[in-house]
Amino acid sequence: MPDIVPLPPGSTIGILGGGQLGRMLALAAARLGLRSHVCDPDPGAPARQVTSLSTIADWGDASALAVFARSVDVVTYEFENVPAAVIDAIEPHAPVRPGRRALAVSQDRLAEKDFLSGLGLATAPYVPVEDPVSLAAAIARTGLPAILKTRRLGYDGKGQVRISDAGAASGALSALAGAPAILEGFVRFDREISVIAARSPDGSFAAYDPGENVHRDGILHTTTLPARIDSAAAAGAVAIARRITDALDYAGVIGVELFVTRSGLVVNEIAPRVHNSGHWTEAACLIDQFEQHIRAVAGWPLGPTDRHSDAVMTNLIGDEVATWPSVNNAALHLYGKAETRPGRKMGHMTRISPRQK
Amino acid sequence: MPDIVPLPPGSTIGILGGGQLGRMLALAAARLGLRSHVCDPDPGAPARQVTSLSTIADWGDASALAVFARSVDVVTYEFENVPAAVIDAIEPHAPVRPGRRALAVSQDRLAEKDFLSGLGLATAPYVPVEDPVSLAAAIARTGLPAILKTRRLGYDGKGQVRISDAGAASGALSALAGAPAILEGFVRFDREISVIAARSPDGSFAAYDPGENVHRDGILHTTTLPARIDSAAAAGAVAIARRITDALDYAGVIGVELFVTRSGLVVNEIAPRVHNSGHWTEAACLIDQFEQHIRAVAGWPLGPTDRHSDAVMTNLIGDEVATWPSVNNAALHLYGKAETRPGRKMGHMTRISPRQK
């Protein structure tokens, strides 16, 4: 294991992406006496509001990215679709964590599924699709219904088309406008859970208790702790997260979404970053996922992951944010976004209650 | 009661003072989607690190203060020694909360004691002192030992001299260099507690459970929850805080330090701001004192004050901050101060444990 020297207080964390996750990372870094420098193409990125250090740069502007990288001590990111060229521009000047391999795997649904399968982990049945011929062959393997997904740049249900019958197949393919895709077979599951885990550069590992997720319109709606799973399933989910992070030589927090099925746990997807389904940790754990991520990328010892309370985190999507004045008995977290749009994550709230088990 | 419209998300809180309390207020405001604008004479004030909006202005610079005030929606402060002239410069442009009366009372130990006595609350015996003659008369009333304190600008044990015998009296007076003073008699107490409470502009009130404080060298060392007091004493302490905030028509969080004596509760001092002895709320309550203060000054409904866990908060003073890499199983909070000096508050840490009662 490499001997990692923790970045001392006063060091600067570079954050690629200035949305709500970057913002919450910056707030967490501040608690540890660390500076944050936010880099994003959008001048109005909300994370800029919470730090005095900020760069406006397009992802294609290698020289601006190099200047940014030289001004910080380590670089992390709030989104998995960081172009490889951005890492190329930064890595000569500052370490990037979680790192290149985690990005490569999670940017491409096919690479991700191949990686997971290679570890012996169960995934939905999947077949790469490039054209109507390969789609027909894929349907023959997965059966219907199935979901056609772009290999890249999908999130919150975007870049996905459900195919319920063979007649809809060609329409689904044209909806993706020729982008490379995979067809995923349906997984019959009892519930969906996620594990938020962290790994240090020195290989140490810590995971929060799995939360149970409910989606609405393809977007996370609630995460509830504890998940309605037995302790063997919980331990199995954490073991899967450990296996994934070890295989990626990972440094940082990861979100691993899993389906709980009658035949065991099936990995849905991984996100090499802090994750919406980990927002409950702010309210129900001493050290939340944001601080844990900063600790990991800064080479600090990981914090405890015990849950002191049960919790229900609810996203505030679009107009739901207008309910803020009436949020009582919950921790409210709003993201500082100037414009409310349908489907946009504007905030979240977490209710806690004494632990029942 | 005035009908207060809560400041909507995106509004800006002006914060006078950019030390650790201003910094933690700014971090709390950010969670609510509110901006913070820090105003401080010191270009290196640590709160500047956590917001993009910041003014460098001397407290005597009325025009700079007016510009600052016009750019924000409400002004609050992290320290009670805000000069009245600063409020004069700001108040025509933005409301100042908690407000002028709370500042006037807490800036002057004599005014504070008179205010508390006027409410029928017990304080240490006290006598104003201006010269050797009035000091001798004061000693005759309080007895010895006693503590001679400047009326203004004392904190963390500064501006105080203990007088153990009559021969030391003149030396004590000259140590204060002619500043107006009061002599305080000693209070025999079993323990020291504090109540962190909040009052809204509409008169609603909420208090955290009293914590038990231990000082070292005149500086807060630990705050422990629960305090070792019975429920009647706890309720009495909260009732005192309510009485004080109602009398001041207060808006914001207040810290009320009390001595627990055999004959009841004695008010030691009040701080019209978030308070070091309330830092434990970060780790052991859903809504901490910093967010509660922001809620109150922004006219938002107060949050719940329940304690989900027991807690011990320990200050990291001076070189103690160097222990940060070995802080395990505690929430660490470092203040971003570049220079470590003896007696300087550099950070704190809070351990939590399941509630025992």
Side-chain angles (χ1 to χ4, degrees), chain A residues 6-9 23 26-27 29-36 48-53 282-287 291 295 300-302 304 306 308-309 321 324-336 350-352, chain B residues 6-9 23 26-27 29-36 48-53 282-287 291 295 300-302 304 306 308-309 321 324-336 350-352:
Chain A
L7 291 177
R23 179 177 167 112
L27 294 174
R31 290 198 299 268
L32 299 176
L34 296 163
R35 314 285 305 259
S36 290
R48 291 192 207 289
Q49 297 166 14
V50 302
T51 177
S52 58
L53 303 174
E282 277 185 318
C285 299
L286 188 63
I287 306 299
E291 178 174 332
R295 285 179 162 270
W300 288 37
L302 297 179
D306 319 48
H308 57 66
S309 301
V321 72
W324 66 267
S326 63
V327 172
N328 291 314
N329 296 311
L332 182 68
H333 198 136
L334 302 179
Y335 302 152
T350 306
R351 289 178 205 285
I352 65 170
Chain B
L7 291 177
R23 179 178 168 111
L27 294 174
R31 289 199 300 268
L32 299 177
L34 296 163
R35 314 286 302 260
S36 290
R48 291 192 206 289
Q49 297 166 12
V50 302
T51 178
S52 57
L53 303 173
E282 277 185 318
C285 299
L286 188 63
I287 306 299
E291 178 175 332
R295 285 179 162 270
W300 288 38
L302 297 179
D306 319 49
H308 56 66
S309 300
V321 72
W324 66 266
S326 62
V327 173
N328 291 315
N329 296 311
L332 182 68
H333 199 135
L334 302 180
Y335 302 152
T350 306
R351 289 178 205 285
I352 65 170

Side-chain angles (χ1 to χ4, degrees), chain B residues 4-7 13 25 28-29 32 34 74-76 95-98 197-206 208 245 249-254 274 287-303:
Chain B
I4 299 290
V5 176
L7 291 177
I13 313 291
L25 288 171
L32 299 177
L34 296 163
V74 65
V75 172
T76 189
V96 178
R97 294 177 185 144
R199 188 175 181 273
S200 284
D202 71 2
S204 61
F205 176 88
Y208 296 96
T245 54
D249 193 20
Y250 198 84
V253 160
I254 195 169
V274 288
I287 306 299
D288 69 22
Q289 67 163 348
F290 304 102
E291 178 175 332
Q292 192 77 304
H293 184 75
I294 296 293
R295 285 179 162 270
V297 303
W300 288 38
L302 297 179

Side-chain angles (χ1 to χ4, degrees), chain B residues 23-320:
Chain B
R23 179 178 168 111
M24 292 188 273
L25 288 171
L27 294 174
R31 289 199 300 268
L32 299 177
L34 296 163
R35 314 286 302 260
S36 290
H37 186 143
V38 169
C39 182
D40 192 290
D42 177 5
R48 291 192 206 289
Q49 297 166 12
V50 302
T51 178
S52 57
L53 303 173
S54 158
T55 292
I56 302 171
D58 285 328
W59 299 132
D61 186 346
S63 65
L65 293 170
V67 170
F68 160 74
R70 281 195 293 267
S71 74
V72 303
D73 297 291
V74 65
V75 172
T76 189
Y77 41 83
E78 64 156 10
F79 67 117
E80 59 270 37
N81 291 314
V82 179
V86 171
I87 310 301
D88 295 340
I90 288 172
E91 224 165 31
H93 309 292
V96 178
R97 294 177 185 144
R100 195 184 283 271
R101 175 135 166 69
L103 285 174
V105 161
S106 57
Q107 282 177 4
D108 181 334
R109 290 183 193 280
L110 180 59
E112 183 175 310
K113 290 276 195 294
D114 286 345
F115 164 74
L116 295 167
S117 303
L119 292 178
L121 301 174
T123 70
Y126 66 100
V127 188
V129 168
E130 274 149 32
D131 52 33
V133 174
S134 55
L135 177 56
I139 290 173
R141 283 180 52 194
T142 63
L144 291 179
I147 307 180
L148 188 66
K149 299 181 176 180
T150 56
R151 283 175 54 178
R152 292 181 168 272
L153 297 173
Y155 68 97
D156 284 351
K158 289 166 189 156
Q160 305 194 2
V161 186
R162 181 184 165 124
I163 302 177
S164 300
D165 59 86
S170 71
L173 200 59
S174 52
L176 300 188
I182 65 172
L183 187 72
E184 287 187 18
F186 260 67
V187 175
R188 278 179 198 280
F189 59 87
D190 294 328
R191 45 188 53 93
E192 192 187 317
I193 63 172
S194 55
V195 175
I196 307 298
R199 188 175 181 273
S200 284
D202 71 2
S204 61
F205 176 88
Y208 296 96
D209 294 332
E212 180 167 342
N213 300 325
V214 173
H215 287 78
R216 235 171 34 182
D217 303 326
I219 304 176
L220 183 66
H221 173 48
T222 59
T223 300
T224 300
L225 272 290
R228 290 167 298 165
I229 55 175
D230 62 26
S231 59
V238 169
I240 287 171
R242 177 151 211 173
R243 191 125 171 225
I244 291 169
T245 54
D246 282 345
L248 294 172
D249 193 20
Y250 198 84
V253 160
I254 195 169
V256 180
E257 292 184 6
L258 302 126
F259 298 124
V260 181
T261 77
R262 286 180 196 174
S263 53
L265 295 167
V266 172
V267 182
N268 179 27
E269 63 179 34
I270 63 179
R273 52 170 169 78
V274 288
H275 194 258
N276 194 166
S277 69
H279 290 0
W280 65 272
T281 59
E282 277 185 318
C285 299
L286 188 63
I287 306 299
D288 69 22
Q289 67 163 348
F290 304 102
E291 178 175 332
Q292 192 77 304
H293 184 75
I294 296 293
R295 285 179 162 270
V297 303
W300 288 38
L302 297 179
T305 50
D306 319 49
R307 180 180 102 244
H308 56 66
S309 300
D310 289 344
V312 181
M313 187 286 306
T314 304
N315 269 337
L316 299 172
I317 307 290
D319 285 340
E320 290 167 2

